[in-house]
Amino acid sequence: MGGCNWLVLLFTAQLVLFSCFMITFFSMETRRQEEQREMQKELHRLRTDNLAKERKLIKLAERAESWRFDRGGESEDDAGGEFNEDEWSEESDEHPPGEDGTPYGAEALAPEEEALPAEKRAGCARLKEGWWVYEVCLGQHVRQFHAADAKAAFAENMLGMAPHACGAEEAGCHCMRLREDDAALSCHKAEEEYVRGDACPDRESTRSVTVKLVCREGEEAADSVLAEGALALVSVHEPETCRYEATVEAPAGLCGAAGGGGAAGGGEAAGGSEPLPAATVEEKRQAVVEALRHSWKGYEQYAWGKDELQPVSHKGKDWVGLGLTILDSLDVLWMANLTKEFAHGVEWVRDSLNYERPKPISVFETTIRCLGGMLAAYELSGEKVLLDRSIELGEKLQKAYGAAGLPYTTLSLLTGHKTIPNWTGGSLLLAEVGTVQMEFFALAHHAGRPEFRERAQRAIDLLDSQGGGLTDGGRLWPIHIRPESGRPSGSTISWGAMGDSFYEYLLKTWLLTGKKHEQYKRMYLEAVKGMQRRLIIEEGGLTYLCEEKSGKLVRKMDHLVCFVPGTLALGAQHLPEQHDEHMALAAKLAETCHRMYTLTPTGLAPEFVKIVGGSMVAGANHNLLRPETIEAFFYLWRFTKDARYREWGWEIFSAFERHCRVPSGGYSGLKNVKLRGSAKDDTMQTFWLAESLKYFLLLFSDDSLLDLNTHVINTEAHPIKILPS
C-alpha cells in the first residue's frame, strides 16, 4: 500500500511539473507572439521611415543621373569630398539645369499606380494582401506596391514581366481583344512564367511569378472583347523567397479562344513583342521621314524658337536659349530632303538666333549640338550664314577656357563669365573637356583660324600627359578632372555618363585628321585595352560594359554605353590588327543593348540596367528617346550587312511609334518602360531628331546617303568632312 502511495505522489508531482512546464511554455509562446507582433509593427514603422528616406535619396540620385542636362550621369562626387544632401536639396539652386532647374528624367520617379488603376484598364487585376497591393496585367507584368502613406513613402517591386506572347494558333494559348480599338490580340497560356523581375534582397537572383489563368464557367465575354474589370486576381502566394504564384480568373470566353480559335481579326500578339507589319526597306525609310516631319511639325506649331518641344502640353521650354531643336536638326532635315523645313530653320538662324544672353549655357552641349549642327549643315548645303554664325559662336566659346587650357562647364555668352557648378566638387568632367576637338578642328579649317584648333588640342595634351601610366597595356581616365592641372581626380571610371564621348573622340578625331595625328590613335587603343581588361564581364550569355569605382566593378550598364559597339566597329575598319577582336566585342555588346529593349513590355530600354544574379534588370525605368543603340546598329549594318541589325532597328522604331508618338505632333519620352500605357515625360529631346531619327534614316537608306570614307560623325550625330592634310 505504501508503494502505491509513493507512485501516486510521484505521478502527481510529475503532473504538477508538466502542468507548470506547459503553463510556462504557453506563457512564453504568448509573450513571444506579442513580441513578434511588436517587432512587425516596428519593422513596418522602420520600413516606412526608410522608404521615405530612400525615396528622397533616389530623387537625388536621379538628379545626378541626369547631370548632363538631358544626357545622364552620376552625381556622386568622389573628387571633392562627401556628397552633401542638405546643400543639394530639392529646393537648391545647384541642380544640373533642366526646365526650371529640374533635371530631365526626374519625373520618372512619380508612382504609376494612380495613373493606371486596374479598374480602368482591361487586362489587369489587383488584390490587396497585407501591406502590399498585387497587380497582374496579362501579357505585360506582375508587380507589388505599397501606395503613398502619410509619410509619403512608396514602395514597388516588379515581380516579373511577361515572356514573348504565345500565338493564337498554339494549343493552350487563350487570346482576346482587350479593347474595342485594339488591332492586336492579347494571348496568354493557362500557366505562364513571368520572369526578369526586380532583384531579390540577397542581390543574387531576381523575382519571378507563375501566373495561372482560370476561366469562370458560364460567364462569356461579350463580342470577343474582354471588358474592363472582368479579370479577378484571386490569390497570390510566395511559396519560396522571390518565387510567387498568382491565380487570375477570367470569363470563359477567354478560354474559348484557345488552340487557334482566337477572336476575330487575326492572330497578332499584343505587347512589345507583337509582330511588325510587313514593310520593304524603302517603306521603312519613308516611315522614318514621316516621323521626322511629324516631329518638326509639332515643334514648329507649339515651340518655335524654343530649345525643346513639350508635345503633350503643347508648349516649348528653354534650358540654353539658343533654339536647340532648330540647330540640332538642320542636317537631318537636309539629308531627308525636307527642303521646306530646312529653309525655315536657316531663316531662323539668319534672323533670330541671338547669342547675347546672360544665362549660363553648357559649353559641352552648345559645342556638340549648336556648333556641330551648324557646321554639318553648312558642309551639306553650302549655306554661308551657317558658317558665319558658327564662327561667331566659336569666338564666344573661346572664353570658356581656363588658365590651364581646359574648357569650363558653363559660360555666359554675353559676359564671358565661366563657372564650374558646386555639384561636381570643383572638378571638370572628362566628357566635357575631351569632346570639343572635332568641332573646333573643323571650325579652324573653315574659318582659317588655327587658334580654334590649338586650344582644343591643348586639352587633349593635358589629359594625355596627366592621365597616368599604362596598366597591362591599357589606360583609363577617371571622370573628374582638376581644372588647374588637368590631373584626373577620384576613382570613378565610366564609358557611360560623364566619360563616354571622350573615348569616342579619341578615335573620331584621329579619323577626322586623316589618320595623321597618331596621339589620338594611341590613346584610343590604350583606352579600349583598359576597357577590355577592367570593365567587360560576361554573365547569363550576355556581355556587359560596366563601371569602376574605388577599384571595384560596379555592375551596371548605361544605355549611353551602347555607342561603344558602333565606335568599335568603326575603328575596326581602320585598325587591321584589331579588326576581328573589336568586331567580335562590338557584336556581343550590341546584342546586350538589344536585350535592354526586349527586356520590357513596351519594347523600349530603361536608362540603365543592373546585372543581378547573372540576369539583366532595369535600374531606372524611364526612357528619354535615346539614340545610342540605333547608332550601334547603323555602324554594324554598314560594315557587316547582317540583316538582323535592320530587323532590330525596325522593332525599336515601331516601339517608339506605339508608345511615344503624340498625335498632335512630336514624340515624348516615357516615365516607366515597364508599364504599357505609361505616362509620358512631356519632352521631345533635341537628340530625338538630331541622333535617333538620323540613325534610323541612315539604317534604312543606301550607303550613298553618307559616305563614311569622307565624313566622321560627331557625338551628336552631325557628320563632319574629313580634314585635308
Side-chain angles (χ1 to χ4, degrees):
M1 189 70 181
C4 290
N5 291 334
W6 181 82
L7 288 173
V8 171
L9 289 173
L10 180 61
F11 175 76
T12 303
Q14 289 177 332
L15 185 60
V16 170
L17 288 174
F18 178 75
S19 300
C20 291
F21 170 77
M22 292 303 295
I23 292 171
T24 302
F25 173 78
F26 283 115
S27 176
M28 292 176 63
E29 177 64 15
T30 302
R31 184 175 178 183
R32 187 191 69 81
Q33 291 179 359
E34 289 177 353
E35 289 177 348
Q36 188 175 23
R37 283 193 290 271
E38 290 299 320
M39 288 175 63
Q40 288 175 338
K41 291 179 181 178
E42 180 65 12
L43 179 62
H44 178 79
R45 185 188 66 78
L46 291 173
R47 180 187 289 177
T48 301
D49 290 344
N50 286 337
L51 283 169
K53 294 175 182 177
E54 195 174 292
R55 186 158 179 76
K56 183 177 181 182
L57 291 175
I58 289 173
K59 286 185 178 180
L60 294 173
E62 282 287 341
R63 293 183 187 279
E65 281 292 337
S66 303
W67 74 272
R68 215 165 59 179
F69 298 94
D70 55 345
R71 298 181 74 86
E74 271 190 42
S75 66
E76 184 164 352
D77 173 31
D78 57 3
E82 293 292 320
F83 181 86
N84 190 326
E85 179 182 319
D86 294 329
E87 289 182 0
W88 195 22
S89 66
E90 293 186 41
E91 291 77 24
S92 170
D93 292 331
E94 292 296 336
H95 296 302
E99 182 192 12
D100 300 327
T102 302
Y104 304 129
E107 306 95 314
L109 293 167
E112 296 287 340
E113 80 283 3
E114 294 302 328
L116 298 169
E119 63 270 19
K120 294 183 180 179
R121 183 174 48 176
C124 294
R126 286 182 177 173
L127 177 67
K128 188 172 188 340
E129 287 280 358
W131 200 71
W132 292 107
V133 174
Y134 292 87
E135 178 183 80
V136 175
C137 291
L138 292 184
Q140 301 178 44
H141 65 265
V142 181
R143 64 173 180 148
Q144 60 178 186
F145 65 88
H146 176 68
D149 58 22
K151 294 193 176 183
F154 174 77
E156 179 186 38
N157 290 312
M158 186 63 68
L159 304 184
M161 289 180 284
H164 291 299
C166 58
E169 70 284 352
E170 293 183 36
C173 188
H174 310 299
C175 301
M176 179 160 289
R177 213 169 301 282
L178 298 183
R179 288 168 294 274
E180 290 284 359
D181 58 352
D182 270 358
L185 300 176
S186 176
C187 297
H188 198 281
K189 291 182 179 179
E191 188 169 304
E192 192 86 77
E193 189 77 10
Y194 284 54
V195 294
R196 300 195 309 272
D198 288 340
C200 295
D202 60 10
R203 314 302 297 175
E204 296 297 326
S205 58
T206 58
R207 294 170 166 86
S208 65
V209 191
T210 300
V211 177
K212 299 178 181 179
L213 186 62
V214 178
C215 296
R216 292 192 291 267
E217 295 302 326
E219 182 179 346
E220 297 293 329
D223 302 322
S224 298
V225 177
L226 183 63
E228 293 179 353
L231 292 180
L233 180 53
V234 179
S235 64
V236 178
H237 303 288
E238 188 178 6
E240 56 182 292
T241 303
C242 287
R243 300 292 177 263
Y244 300 82
E245 294 180 357
T247 301
V248 176
E249 286 189 351
L254 184 57
C255 298
E268 296 179 358
S273 60
E274 64 188 63
L276 302 172
T280 65
V281 173
E282 177 57 27
E283 287 171 338
K284 293 173 183 177
R285 183 185 183 279
Q286 288 302 320
V288 175
V289 173
E290 195 283 325
L292 265 168
R293 189 180 286 110
H294 184 74
S295 300
W296 187 259
K297 165 196 160 188
Y299 176 76
E300 275 189 322
Q301 184 170 354
Y302 300 114
W304 185 249
K306 297 288 187 179
D307 286 335
E308 290 174 336
L309 166 67
Q310 293 180 270
V312 177
S313 55
H314 295 165
K315 60 184 180 181
K317 63 181 177 182
D318 279 332
W319 55 276
V320 170
L322 297 177
L324 283 188
T325 294
I326 298 173
L327 304 186
D328 226 2
S329 303
L330 288 172
D331 56 356
V332 71
L333 294 174
W334 179 270
M335 294 167 71
N337 200 31
L338 297 177
T339 54
K340 180 174 124 182
E341 292 84 350
F342 176 82
H344 192 195
V346 172
E347 179 185 3
W348 184 88
V349 172
R350 178 185 298 110
D351 300 336
S352 303
L353 178 58
N354 178 21
Y355 297 137
E356 302 302 314
R357 295 176 178 270
K359 181 181 178 180
I361 53 93
S362 164
V363 174
F364 166 77
E365 298 288 357
T366 303
T367 299
I368 65 171
R369 301 192 194 207
C370 303
L371 184 57
M374 287 192 292
L375 284 173
Y378 163 69
E379 291 183 347
L380 290 170
S381 68
E383 288 281 354
K384 189 172 182 300
V385 66
L386 299 175
L387 176 59
D388 294 340
R389 301 313 306 268
S390 295
I391 295 172
E392 184 182 347
L393 178 59
E395 290 173 342
K396 290 183 175 296
L397 289 173
Q398 294 300 291
K399 299 174 183 178
Y401 287 86
L406 299 175
Y408 275 40
T409 303
T410 61
L411 173 75
S412 168
L413 296 178
L414 177 63
T415 67
H417 179 66
K418 55 183 175 291
T419 57
I420 301 173
N422 291 342
W423 63 273
T424 67
S427 290
L428 299 171
L429 298 170
L430 179 64
E432 293 182 341
V433 300
T435 313
V436 297
Q437 288 68 36
M438 288 183 64
E439 295 78 11
F440 279 103
F441 278 31
L443 184 63
H445 165 68
H446 288 298
R449 301 269 296 273
E451 67 269 21
F452 290 144
R453 179 185 66 251
E454 290 164 0
R455 281 199 160 179
Q457 177 61 36
R458 171 64 176 158
I460 289 296
D461 289 339
L462 275 173
L463 293 173
D464 189 15
S465 64
Q466 301 297 323
L470 299 178
T471 302
D472 296 329
R475 182 161 64 145
L476 295 171
W477 283 256
I479 59 175
H480 293 102
I481 306 296
R482 295 308 303 169
E484 67 277 2
S485 64
R487 289 191 182 92
S489 176
S491 62
T492 299
I493 293 173
S494 172
W495 279 62
M498 294 188 279
D500 49 3
S501 49
F502 162 71
Y503 298 107
E504 178 187 1
Y505 270 35
L506 293 179
L507 171 68
K508 290 185 174 180
T509 306
W510 177 56
L511 298 179
L512 187 71
T513 62
K515 298 189 283 190
K516 300 201 171 49
H517 209 312
E518 289 296 307
Q519 176 190 27
Y520 288 92
K521 174 186 176 183
R522 171 180 54 79
M523 292 174 71
Y524 172 71
L525 290 175
E526 291 170 354
V528 172
K529 183 67 70 176
M531 173 191 73
Q532 290 175 295
R533 300 200 172 183
R534 293 166 61 179
L535 304 180
I536 295 291
I537 63 171
E538 293 191 6
E539 290 195 13
L542 294 175
T543 300
Y544 296 92
L545 173 48
C546 300
E547 300 177 2
E548 183 181 281
K549 185 167 183 179
S550 302
K552 296 181 180 179
L553 201 67
V554 180
R555 300 168 67 81
K556 62 167 285 206
M557 180 169 166
D558 289 351
H559 185 277
L560 287 166
V561 166
C562 289
F563 85 91
V564 174
T567 298
L568 287 172
L570 174 63
Q573 313 313 305
H574 304 274
L575 300 165
E577 294 182 0
Q578 289 80 22
H579 177 275
D580 292 349
E581 178 186 5
H582 286 192
M583 286 298 290
L585 179 56
K588 290 180 179 179
L589 289 172
E591 184 176 356
T592 302
C593 294
H594 177 239
R595 181 67 66 84
M596 289 185 183
Y597 286 80
T598 62
L599 176 71
T600 71
T602 58
L604 294 173
E607 181 70 3
F608 66 89
V609 297
K610 297 178 181 179
I611 304 96
V612 180
S615 298
M616 175 190 293
V617 297
N621 294 337
H622 58 280
N623 181 289
L624 302 179
L625 310 172
R626 288 200 185 279
E628 290 78 20
T629 295
I630 308 307
E631 174 184 355
F633 292 170
F634 157 66
Y635 281 112
L636 285 163
W637 158 255
R638 176 66 68 93
F639 300 133
T640 69
K641 301 305 180 186
D642 188 333
R644 65 176 171 165
Y645 296 117
R646 275 184 164 174
E647 292 169 3
W648 289 352
W650 183 241
E651 289 175 7
I652 295 172
F653 178 80
S654 299
F656 279 128
E657 284 289 309
R658 279 194 296 269
H659 300 290
C660 301
R661 184 182 177 101
V662 178
S664 57
Y667 292 74
S668 172
L670 295 184
K671 291 185 176 183
N672 193 340
V673 295
K674 290 182 179 179
L675 297 177
R676 292 186 69 204
S678 165
K680 294 179 171 61
D681 68 9
D682 197 20
T683 297
M684 187 174 77
Q685 309 283 352
T686 75
F687 53 68
W688 166 247
L689 292 93
E691 300 187 70
S692 301
L693 289 178
K694 184 181 295 158
Y695 282 122
F696 278 125
L697 182 68
L698 289 167
L699 181 62
F700 298 118
S701 296
D702 294 336
D703 293 357
S704 59
L705 181 62
L706 183 67
D707 188 349
L708 294 182
N709 293 313
T710 59
H711 290 79
V712 183
I713 303 174
N714 87 339
T715 194
E716 191 71 11
H718 298 306
I720 299 176
K721 287 183 179 178
I722 292 175
L723 302 175
S725 57

